[in-house]
Amino acid sequence: MTMLDEFRAAAVAAADRPFLRYFGTVLSYGEVDRLSDALAVALQDNGFGHGDRVALYLQNVPQYVIALLAAWKAGGIAVAINPMLTAGEVAKLLADATPTVLIALDELYSERLAEALAGSSVTRVLSTSALDWQTEQDTRVLPGHRLPVPDGTEDLRALIERHNGDCPDPVTVGDDDVAVLTYTSGTTGKPKGATNTHRNIATGGHTYREWFRLSDADVVLGVAPLFHVTGLTGHIACTVAAQASLVLSYRFHTEVTAELIRRHRVTFTVGAITVFIALGDSAAVEPEDLASLTKIASGGAPIAAATTERFEQRFGSYIHNVYGMTETTAPVLGVPLGSRAPVDPRTQALSVGVPMGGTRVAVLDDDGNPVPPGQLGEIAVRGPQIVPGYWRNEQATNDAIRDGWLRTGDVGYVDEDGWFYLVDRKKDVIVASGYKVWPREVEDVLYTHEAVLEAAVVGVPDPYRGETVKAFVSLRDGCAATPEELIDYCRERLAAYKYPRQVEIVDALPKTVTGKILRRELRERSG
Ligand code: AMP
């Protein structure tokens, strides 16, 4: 089934059931079907057709889901754009994906973006307000007032109202058609658009549904960004697959998130570990707020065993590690619901789980041959969630996917019982006095220190060791620790070549919106 078939099945079987909840507004499956029909008609009226692209430059608002479905109903492809990107960065993605339509939040539609669009493929801009389809004006996250419709754009809501009740011309969409272009987080070189097909996304949605036993009784919290594959499959596709409902909240805000979980009796979510660290660290969040949230997954960045333990002690729920990447559309490794990830006694690494949803996972040496359990190698994956390649970039596709296996660039190993462990990104390894130090291992030790909120370890130039180990650390509210104390703490727990020689305490670590700590930025800062 394509994602469109999946959604249409839900719109028939669950027409009156709540699909999207957003600050006081509830949109049923039937209503979202009508709204996206109207938008698809508006797109088709302007000549938008099979394979055409519409770029979405939005936060987690209902319009994201409506526009995604409308793009598919008109036979097109959505281009997911991170709302944190600047106009210049957006322009680069647009030059690669060449969409004809851009749907943007009014507050993101700046003069600089308008200038960047002037020479681009975009011929039509639809703007929309985060204050549409809501009634609560929660200014902790939402903009305080409505902006006028920017010049040169059409108002999305007015356009939808104009076509209310219209049905789009039927289009033929196949499983292997590209449904969404998701851009990889790398910021060097040409941006690479992963071509997530309808099959990839539908499989991802089913994987989540089955792994976390989701049904129409579940309420999903959309805490990961919708532009990222985690939001695409872990929020939208799995909600549709289970005919459940999805709570959206524009962007993450610790206390707002806790209130929404309590109010809507949220049962499932998947998000960056930073979300759960923030919830656990907030004095305003009570264990009862999270009582209904019994199915939790986290992926996208390393998780220290100490973090899951601390969260479980406070809230009683266990965080299930899942591993995947943009090119795998959804997780390919995960800790089964109800199981606990083993911790490697040698390295203290928390396992990322076992293969999920029909995916094969292997650990390969530099020549591409499988290595025995316990031995380090590059993780490679194959299965129905893996993208066929990168948008119009044969070279990058051939480099990443060889003989049907996606080379992830992540180094890891599998134990005798089939549990996988991730060591690090291949390119983040530190070579100190000729020894390899994997930053993850040092970070995991730092996370066991009670004063440490977040930690990131990088290699910095050193005249004697070539490279040496440096840790950047932020501290929990009300806790104190000196760099010397943290260095001593690690020295007692790690081999002499591994412990950090430098520790810098910072207010906050630089992060991507998906919760990845930007080690590269920290390296540059120290270079
Ligand atoms: P992205 O393409 O932005 O989703 O990033 C994918 C990368 O995030 C992977 O290649 C890993 O390096 C990292 N990653 C994903 N899940 C995990 C996890 N559970 N633990 C550690 N790193 C992870």
Side-chain angles (χ1 to χ4, degrees):
M1 289 225 288
T2 66
M3 279 308 298
L4 208 45
D5 298 330
E6 291 264 309
F7 177 74
R8 288 205 164 117
V12 170
D16 297 327
R17 288 190 53 77
F19 176 25
L20 304 176
R21 296 173 185 274
Y22 180 66
F23 296 110
T25 292
V26 182
L27 296 173
S28 67
Y29 276 91
E31 281 170 294
V32 174
D33 196 25
R34 278 190 294 282
L35 294 167
S36 53
D37 267 355
L39 182 55
V41 172
L43 291 174
Q44 286 182 332
D45 269 3
N46 247 41
F48 185 95
H50 193 266
D52 288 343
R53 273 87 57 212
V54 45
L56 310 183
Y57 189 35
L58 301 164
Q59 297 280 5
N60 283 18
V61 292
Q63 293 93 311
Y64 194 104
V65 183
I66 295 165
L68 187 66
L69 291 165
W72 293 338
K73 287 178 174 184
I77 300 171
V79 181
I81 300 182
N82 179 348
M84 306 258 290
L85 296 187
T86 61
E89 291 166 321
V90 173
K92 274 194 209 157
L93 298 194
L94 298 181
D96 191 65
T98 58
T100 49
V101 182
L102 169 71
I103 302 182
L105 274 182
D106 48 13
E107 78 246 39
L108 296 173
Y109 190 78
S110 61
E111 245 170 64
R112 289 199 48 213
L113 182 61
E115 279 164 25
L117 290 177
S120 78
S121 55
V122 174
T123 54
R124 191 178 193 195
V125 182
L126 311 182
S127 66
T128 188
S129 168
L131 300 176
D132 280 340
W133 287 292
Q134 62 82 43
T135 56
E136 291 175 348
Q137 331 283 346
D138 191 333
T139 49
R140 288 173 298 175
V141 285
L142 295 175
H145 60 275
R146 185 176 289 273
L147 296 171
V149 177
D151 281 349
T153 75
E154 298 166 74
D155 180 55
L156 180 87
R157 187 161 195 169
L159 192 63
I160 286 179
E161 274 162 16
R162 208 172 314 140
H163 291 282
N164 183 27
D166 295 351
C167 285
D169 294 334
V171 292
T172 313
V173 177
D175 288 0
D176 292 320
D177 283 341
V178 178
V180 182
L181 296 182
T182 47
Y183 279 84
T184 53
S185 11
T187 51
T188 50
K190 199 170 172 280
K192 287 187 291 181
T195 53
N196 306 97
T197 64
H198 280 272
R199 184 196 309 280
N200 294 155
I201 301 169
T203 307
H206 292 177
T207 301
Y208 272 109
R209 181 188 62 188
E210 271 126 54
W211 204 257
F212 291 100
R213 292 180 217 141
L214 302 178
S215 72
D216 60 5
D218 278 283
V219 181
V220 178
L221 179 73
V223 83
L226 295 181
F227 79 83
H228 190 262
V229 286
T230 310
L232 180 61
T233 57
H235 299 334
I236 301 172
C238 73
T239 298
V240 172
Q243 299 175 4
S245 65
L246 173 62
V247 180
L248 296 176
S249 63
Y250 181 76
R251 65 178 170 79
F252 175 72
H253 178 289
T254 311
E255 284 76 38
V256 171
T257 298
E259 284 168 28
L260 291 173
I261 295 170
R262 188 179 189 131
R263 167 150 49 126
H264 297 295
R265 313 292 305 151
V266 168
T267 56
F268 168 73
T269 198
V270 49
I273 194 63
T274 46
V275 163
F276 304 103
I277 293 176
L279 286 168
D281 200 49
S282 166
V285 180
E286 300 291 334
E288 305 84 73
D289 293 331
L290 270 55
S292 59
L293 186 58
T294 53
K295 308 178 200 181
I296 304 179
S298 180
I303 303 178
T307 306
T308 57
E309 279 161 26
R310 214 174 270 151
F311 187 89
E312 191 173 15
Q313 265 166 21
R314 176 132 197 239
F315 298 108
S317 277
Y318 179 74
I319 299 172
H320 299 77
N321 204 348
V322 293
Y323 163 84
M325 60 199 303
T326 300
E327 294 84 340
T328 68
T329 319
V332 287
L333 291 167
V335 178
L337 186 66
S339 300
R340 256 135 228 279
V343 177
D344 184 316
R346 287 172 303 131
T347 62
Q348 298 308 308
L350 186 73
S351 169
V352 286
V354 295
M356 295 168 88
T359 319
R360 288 163 67 197
V361 185
V363 184
L364 306 179
D365 65 16
D366 287 344
D367 300 323
N369 301 313
V371 299
Q375 210 163 301
L376 291 191
E378 182 175 359
I379 308 260
V381 289
R382 180 183 186 128
Q385 288 128 306
I386 314 299
V387 291
Y390 296 105
W391 179 249
R392 295 181 178 165
N393 192 340
E394 208 178 314
Q395 181 63 48
T397 300
N398 294 339
D399 288 347
I401 304 172
R402 282 173 253 162
D403 305 323
W405 287 87
L406 171 77
R407 306 297 176 97
T408 63
D410 287 310
V411 174
Y413 57 96
V414 58
D415 72 12
E416 294 285 351
D417 299 321
W419 289 91
F420 284 77
Y421 297 81
L422 219 64
V423 175
D424 236 310
R425 295 292 299 161
K426 235 175 165 175
K427 59 181 188 317
D428 280 347
V429 65
I430 304 167
V431 183
S433 307
Y435 289 106
K436 275 194 173 134
V437 181
W438 297 99
R440 249 313 279 292
E441 199 181 340
V442 185
E443 289 163 8
D444 280 353
V445 168
L446 283 163
Y447 274 107
T448 62
H449 191 285
E450 59 181 19
V452 171
L453 181 66
E454 287 182 333
V457 168
V458 298
V460 293
D462 182 82
Y464 177 65
R465 305 178 82 204
E467 241 186 334
T468 195
V469 182
K470 174 166 181 177
F472 289 84
V473 167
S474 66
L475 300 179
R476 284 176 187 285
D477 259 0
C479 289
T482 62
E484 294 68 36
E485 196 180 324
L486 293 171
I487 292 173
D488 286 346
Y489 183 82
C490 292
R491 192 186 358 231
E492 283 163 25
R493 291 164 175 83
L494 288 163
Y497 67 92
K498 291 182 189 166
Y499 74 86
R501 301 310 197 259
Q502 302 170 30
V503 169
E504 188 174 328
I505 313 256
V506 293
D507 288 341
L509 294 169
K511 273 184 238 110
T512 66
V513 68
T514 49
K516 276 191 193 39
I517 293 175
L518 287 164
R519 287 195 187 135
R520 191 185 52 246
E521 204 172 304
L522 293 169
R523 260 197 304 267
E524 281 161 10
R525 220 189 263 178
S526 315

